[in-house]
Amino acid sequence: TDEAAEGEEETVDYAEEEEENAEETEEDIDIIAEQTRRADDHKDRGNEHMSKKEYELALHQYNEAVHVSPAGPNSHVYYSNRAAAHCYLARYESASDDCRTSIALRP
């Protein structure tokens, strides 16, 4: 009966562990969603600067987006947009690097 009791304890431990993991997962999802929202705000501001041909200001906003969410669900867009700003500023090597990163994130 000691073995049965040990087996029950393990089941309880696994159940508690699964509950803790589910809570951590929900927290992770919330964190990622907030990071994505903040990064998207920077991207949108960058897009506004691009439309006004304010390429340095756009680049700064895209840098912020990448900093906030370097590998999030929309990060490939931030790198792609930043590559465009680099092109307008004749920084072709940086643009090329960002293009490769964008493709690596979303082939």
Side-chain angles (χ1 to χ4, degrees), residues 13-23:
D13 288 344
Y14 287 130
E16 288 175 12
E17 187 175 309
E18 286 177 15
E19 187 175 314
E20 288 174 12
N21 287 341
E23 289 173 11

Side-chain angles (χ1 to χ4, degrees), residues 32-104:
I32 292 167
E34 176 60 19
Q35 288 173 335
T36 301
R37 186 196 62 73
R38 287 179 42 221
D40 281 347
D41 287 346
H42 287 293
K43 176 199 57 112
D44 292 343
R45 283 186 231 131
N47 290 350
E48 289 173 19
H49 289 300
M50 288 289 279
S51 69
K52 297 175 188 174
K53 299 182 181 185
E54 301 169 339
Y55 304 122
E56 285 288 350
L57 295 172
L59 182 64
H60 174 73
Q61 290 300 320
Y62 298 139
N63 284 339
E64 290 298 314
V66 167
H67 177 74
V68 170
S69 181
N74 299 335
S75 296
H76 64 290
V77 175
Y78 314 146
Y79 284 101
S80 176
N81 289 9
R82 190 169 75 173
H86 281 303
C87 281
Y88 281 111
L89 295 167
R91 299 175 185 160
Y92 303 115
E93 190 169 330
S94 295
S96 181
D97 291 343
D98 279 349
C99 286
R100 280 192 284 279
T101 302
S102 179
I103 292 168

